[in-house]
Amino acid sequence: MKNDKKNNQYRVNEQIRVREVRVVGDGGSSVMPTRQALDLARQEGVDLVEISPNAQPPVCRLIDYSKFLYQQKKRAKEMKAKQVKVEVKEIRFGPQTGDNDYAFKLKHAKEFLLEGNKVRAYVFFRGRSILFKEQGEVLLLRFANDLEEVGKVEQLPQLEGKKMAIFIAPKKAGVAKKSQQKMDREKREADAREAAKQAKESEESAEMPAGGGLLANAKISEEALKKLTENQD
């Protein structure tokens, strides 16, 4: 039944009852009487398929109808494959999650967001641990802050029964910005590297023999060669 409905969505050959049609093809288009277009389709051994019935006049193609339906199905399949499917990935915490576990889950959350998925992070309170709900909220807000380069908060932490959840959506490519905290950290690291480099250069200069190191050695070698030549003479 479904295939019959799909096959009947286009008028073909004698089903086209208008006076004239616009026939399109690789070489362009032309308006002609429908009877002439039908005769042309028979001569080429194909069908006259109405592809745009609301146009004035309706637009048709000269093509094998089975091939036309196959092309339409293939095109629809390709368009569906190109559509981005957004999934919601869940990250679970306890109210007292350790640093290693936190870092591990933060890494996975970044991967999910970079893939275009949303993240639902939640803290599960078991038994009397519900007393630490403020601690859970702080944890989720910290999590969102650490993900601000790749994600944006869609919903702030909310308590749902024994769970407190936050929703984070991916940022569009090219929109992510560095936080001030990260920029300050990178500047401190760069300054530290520069200071270490200068300290190493100073240490190497202090260990260099008087007279200029390689330049001094070159001069000594030149003098030794000159003396040796004089002795031979």
PDB file of all heavy atoms in Angstrom, residues 110-125:
ATOM      1  N   LYS A 110      33.744  16.140  26.532  1.00  0.00           N
ATOM      2  CA  LYS A 110      34.288  16.977  25.461  1.00  0.00           C
ATOM      3  C   LYS A 110      34.177  16.274  24.117  1.00  0.00           C
ATOM      4  O   LYS A 110      33.825  16.882  23.102  1.00  0.00           O
ATOM      5  CB  LYS A 110      35.753  17.330  25.751  1.00  0.00           C
ATOM      6  CG  LYS A 110      35.931  18.376  26.835  1.00  0.00           C
ATOM      7  CD  LYS A 110      37.403  18.708  27.029  1.00  0.00           C
ATOM      8  CE  LYS A 110      37.580  19.799  28.087  1.00  0.00           C
ATOM      9  NZ  LYS A 110      39.007  20.120  28.316  1.00  0.00           N
ATOM     10  N   GLU A 111      34.487  14.982  24.107  1.00  0.00           N
ATOM     11  CA  GLU A 111      34.391  14.203  22.866  1.00  0.00           C
ATOM     12  C   GLU A 111      32.949  14.175  22.368  1.00  0.00           C
ATOM     13  O   GLU A 111      32.697  14.331  21.167  1.00  0.00           O
ATOM     14  CB  GLU A 111      34.904  12.777  23.104  1.00  0.00           C
ATOM     15  CG  GLU A 111      36.407  12.716  23.357  1.00  0.00           C
ATOM     16  CD  GLU A 111      36.867  11.326  23.751  1.00  0.00           C
ATOM     17  OE1 GLU A 111      35.988  10.439  23.937  1.00  0.00           O
ATOM     18  OE2 GLU A 111      38.082  11.111  23.898  1.00  0.00           O
ATOM     19  N   PHE A 112      31.997  13.970  23.271  1.00  0.00           N
ATOM     20  CA  PHE A 112      30.582  13.930  22.887  1.00  0.00           C
ATOM     21  C   PHE A 112      30.159  15.257  22.260  1.00  0.00           C
ATOM     22  O   PHE A 112      29.474  15.292  21.238  1.00  0.00           O
ATOM     23  CB  PHE A 112      29.711  13.633  24.106  1.00  0.00           C
ATOM     24  CG  PHE A 112      29.894  12.255  24.688  1.00  0.00           C
ATOM     25  CD1 PHE A 112      29.730  12.028  26.046  1.00  0.00           C
ATOM     26  CD2 PHE A 112      30.234  11.187  23.876  1.00  0.00           C
ATOM     27  CE1 PHE A 112      29.898  10.763  26.573  1.00  0.00           C
ATOM     28  CE2 PHE A 112      30.416   9.914  24.404  1.00  0.00           C
ATOM     29  CZ  PHE A 112      30.237   9.698  25.757  1.00  0.00           C
ATOM     30  N   LEU A 113      30.547  16.352  22.887  1.00  0.00           N
ATOM     31  CA  LEU A 113      30.150  17.675  22.404  1.00  0.00           C
ATOM     32  C   LEU A 113      30.797  17.995  21.062  1.00  0.00           C
ATOM     33  O   LEU A 113      30.160  18.576  20.181  1.00  0.00           O
ATOM     34  CB  LEU A 113      30.517  18.737  23.444  1.00  0.00           C
ATOM     35  CG  LEU A 113      29.701  18.698  24.746  1.00  0.00           C
ATOM     36  CD1 LEU A 113      30.334  19.592  25.808  1.00  0.00           C
ATOM     37  CD2 LEU A 113      28.258  19.128  24.502  1.00  0.00           C
ATOM     38  N   LEU A 114      32.062  17.625  20.899  1.00  0.00           N
ATOM     39  CA  LEU A 114      32.752  17.871  19.633  1.00  0.00           C
ATOM     40  C   LEU A 114      32.146  17.052  18.499  1.00  0.00           C
ATOM     41  O   LEU A 114      32.245  17.429  17.327  1.00  0.00           O
ATOM     42  CB  LEU A 114      34.241  17.558  19.774  1.00  0.00           C
ATOM     43  CG  LEU A 114      35.043  18.542  20.632  1.00  0.00           C
ATOM     44  CD1 LEU A 114      36.453  18.033  20.869  1.00  0.00           C
ATOM     45  CD2 LEU A 114      35.085  19.921  19.978  1.00  0.00           C
ATOM     46  N   GLU A 115      31.518  15.921  18.831  1.00  0.00           N
ATOM     47  CA  GLU A 115      30.840  15.101  17.829  1.00  0.00           C
ATOM     48  C   GLU A 115      29.456  15.644  17.495  1.00  0.00           C
ATOM     49  O   GLU A 115      28.772  15.109  16.620  1.00  0.00           O
ATOM     50  CB  GLU A 115      30.717  13.659  18.334  1.00  0.00           C
ATOM     51  CG  GLU A 115      32.053  12.926  18.391  1.00  0.00           C
ATOM     52  CD  GLU A 115      31.950  11.596  19.121  1.00  0.00           C
ATOM     53  OE1 GLU A 115      30.830  11.268  19.610  1.00  0.00           O
ATOM     54  OE2 GLU A 115      32.954  10.889  19.226  1.00  0.00           O
ATOM     55  N   GLY A 116      29.031  16.699  18.212  1.00  0.00           N
ATOM     56  CA  GLY A 116      27.734  17.302  17.940  1.00  0.00           C
ATOM     57  C   GLY A 116      26.611  16.796  18.816  1.00  0.00           C
ATOM     58  O   GLY A 116      25.443  17.119  18.577  1.00  0.00           O
ATOM     59  N   ASN A 117      26.923  16.003  19.832  1.00  0.00           N
ATOM     60  CA  ASN A 117      25.902  15.481  20.731  1.00  0.00           C
ATOM     61  C   ASN A 117      25.706  16.379  21.944  1.00  0.00           C
ATOM     62  O   ASN A 117      26.594  17.148  22.300  1.00  0.00           O
ATOM     63  CB  ASN A 117      26.285  14.070  21.208  1.00  0.00           C
ATOM     64  CG  ASN A 117      26.415  13.096  20.060  1.00  0.00           C
ATOM     65  OD1 ASN A 117      25.495  12.911  19.277  1.00  0.00           O
ATOM     66  ND2 ASN A 117      27.580  12.480  19.943  1.00  0.00           N
ATOM     67  N   LYS A 118      24.543  16.262  22.572  1.00  0.00           N
ATOM     68  CA  LYS A 118      24.291  16.975  23.820  1.00  0.00           C
ATOM     69  C   LYS A 118      24.746  16.106  24.990  1.00  0.00           C
ATOM     70  O   LYS A 118      24.872  14.888  24.860  1.00  0.00           O
ATOM     71  CB  LYS A 118      22.804  17.304  23.968  1.00  0.00           C
ATOM     72  CG  LYS A 118      22.297  18.316  22.954  1.00  0.00           C
ATOM     73  CD  LYS A 118      20.851  18.687  23.238  1.00  0.00           C
ATOM     74  CE  LYS A 118      20.350  19.734  22.250  1.00  0.00           C
ATOM     75  NZ  LYS A 118      18.951  20.145  22.555  1.00  0.00           N
ATOM     76  N   VAL A 119      24.977  16.750  26.113  1.00  0.00           N
ATOM     77  CA  VAL A 119      25.411  16.026  27.311  1.00  0.00           C
ATOM     78  C   VAL A 119      24.448  16.332  28.457  1.00  0.00           C
ATOM     79  O   VAL A 119      24.141  17.502  28.714  1.00  0.00           O
ATOM     80  CB  VAL A 119      26.852  16.413  27.710  1.00  0.00           C
ATOM     81  CG1 VAL A 119      27.198  15.831  29.080  1.00  0.00           C
ATOM     82  CG2 VAL A 119      27.846  15.925  26.670  1.00  0.00           C
ATOM     83  N   ARG A 120      23.972  15.284  29.080  1.00  0.00           N
ATOM     84  CA  ARG A 120      23.173  15.418  30.309  1.00  0.00           C
ATOM     85  C   ARG A 120      24.017  14.854  31.444  1.00  0.00           C
ATOM     86  O   ARG A 120      24.179  13.646  31.579  1.00  0.00           O
ATOM     87  CB  ARG A 120      21.862  14.656  30.206  1.00  0.00           C
ATOM     88  CG  ARG A 120      21.012  14.699  31.494  1.00  0.00           C
ATOM     89  CD  ARG A 120      19.710  13.940  31.302  1.00  0.00           C
ATOM     90  NE  ARG A 120      18.900  13.955  32.509  1.00  0.00           N
ATOM     91  CZ  ARG A 120      18.861  12.976  33.416  1.00  0.00           C
ATOM     92  NH1 ARG A 120      19.619  11.884  33.233  1.00  0.00           N
ATOM     93  NH2 ARG A 120      18.095  13.070  34.484  1.00  0.00           N
ATOM     94  N   ALA A 121      24.596  15.736  32.224  1.00  0.00           N
ATOM     95  CA  ALA A 121      25.418  15.318  33.363  1.00  0.00           C
ATOM     96  C   ALA A 121      24.556  15.384  34.613  1.00  0.00           C
ATOM     97  O   ALA A 121      23.814  16.352  34.816  1.00  0.00           O
ATOM     98  CB  ALA A 121      26.635  16.226  33.502  1.00  0.00           C
ATOM     99  N   TYR A 122      24.637  14.367  35.438  1.00  0.00           N
ATOM    100  CA  TYR A 122      23.820  14.373  36.652  1.00  0.00           C
ATOM    101  C   TYR A 122      24.568  13.746  37.828  1.00  0.00           C
ATOM    102  O   TYR A 122      25.467  12.920  37.656  1.00  0.00           O
ATOM    103  CB  TYR A 122      22.485  13.652  36.421  1.00  0.00           C
ATOM    104  CG  TYR A 122      22.594  12.155  36.205  1.00  0.00           C
ATOM    105  CD1 TYR A 122      22.510  11.253  37.277  1.00  0.00           C
ATOM    106  CD2 TYR A 122      22.768  11.627  34.932  1.00  0.00           C
ATOM    107  CE1 TYR A 122      22.594   9.889  37.074  1.00  0.00           C
ATOM    108  CE2 TYR A 122      22.857  10.269  34.717  1.00  0.00           C
ATOM    109  CZ  TYR A 122      22.762   9.398  35.795  1.00  0.00           C
ATOM    110  OH  TYR A 122      22.858   8.033  35.598  1.00  0.00           O
ATOM    111  N   VAL A 123      24.173  14.196  38.993  1.00  0.00           N
ATOM    112  CA  VAL A 123      24.708  13.647  40.247  1.00  0.00           C
ATOM    113  C   VAL A 123      23.604  12.802  40.862  1.00  0.00           C
ATOM    114  O   VAL A 123      22.473  13.276  41.036  1.00  0.00           O
ATOM    115  CB  VAL A 123      25.122  14.767  41.218  1.00  0.00           C
ATOM    116  CG1 VAL A 123      25.640  14.163  42.519  1.00  0.00           C
ATOM    117  CG2 VAL A 123      26.190  15.651  40.591  1.00  0.00           C
ATOM    118  N   PHE A 124      23.928  11.557  41.162  1.00  0.00           N
ATOM    119  CA  PHE A 124      22.948  10.657  41.766  1.00  0.00           C
ATOM    120  C   PHE A 124      23.176  10.598  43.274  1.00  0.00           C
ATOM    121  O   PHE A 124      24.280  10.311  43.734  1.00  0.00           O
ATOM    122  CB  PHE A 124      23.069   9.256  41.165  1.00  0.00           C
ATOM    123  CG  PHE A 124      22.073   8.273  41.706  1.00  0.00           C
ATOM    124  CD1 PHE A 124      20.744   8.329  41.309  1.00  0.00           C
ATOM    125  CD2 PHE A 124      22.456   7.313  42.630  1.00  0.00           C
ATOM    126  CE1 PHE A 124      19.818   7.429  41.811  1.00  0.00           C
ATOM    127  CE2 PHE A 124      21.536   6.413  43.137  1.00  0.00           C
ATOM    128  CZ  PHE A 124      20.210   6.466  42.728  1.00  0.00           C
ATOM    129  N   PHE A 125      22.135  10.899  44.009  1.00  0.00           N
ATOM    130  CA  PHE A 125      22.226  10.906  45.474  1.00  0.00           C
ATOM    131  C   PHE A 125      21.615   9.618  46.011  1.00  0.00           C
ATOM    132  O   PHE A 125      20.419   9.371  45.857  1.00  0.00           O
ATOM    133  CB  PHE A 125      21.479  12.121  46.044  1.00  0.00           C
ATOM    134  CG  PHE A 125      22.012  13.439  45.563  1.00  0.00           C
ATOM    135  CD1 PHE A 125      21.370  14.128  44.539  1.00  0.00           C
ATOM    136  CD2 PHE A 125      23.155  13.981  46.115  1.00  0.00           C
ATOM    137  CE1 PHE A 125      21.857  15.341  44.086  1.00  0.00           C
ATOM    138  CE2 PHE A 125      23.651  15.194  45.663  1.00  0.00           C
ATOM    139  CZ  PHE A 125      23.005  15.871  44.646  1.00  0.00           C
TER     140      PHE A 125
END
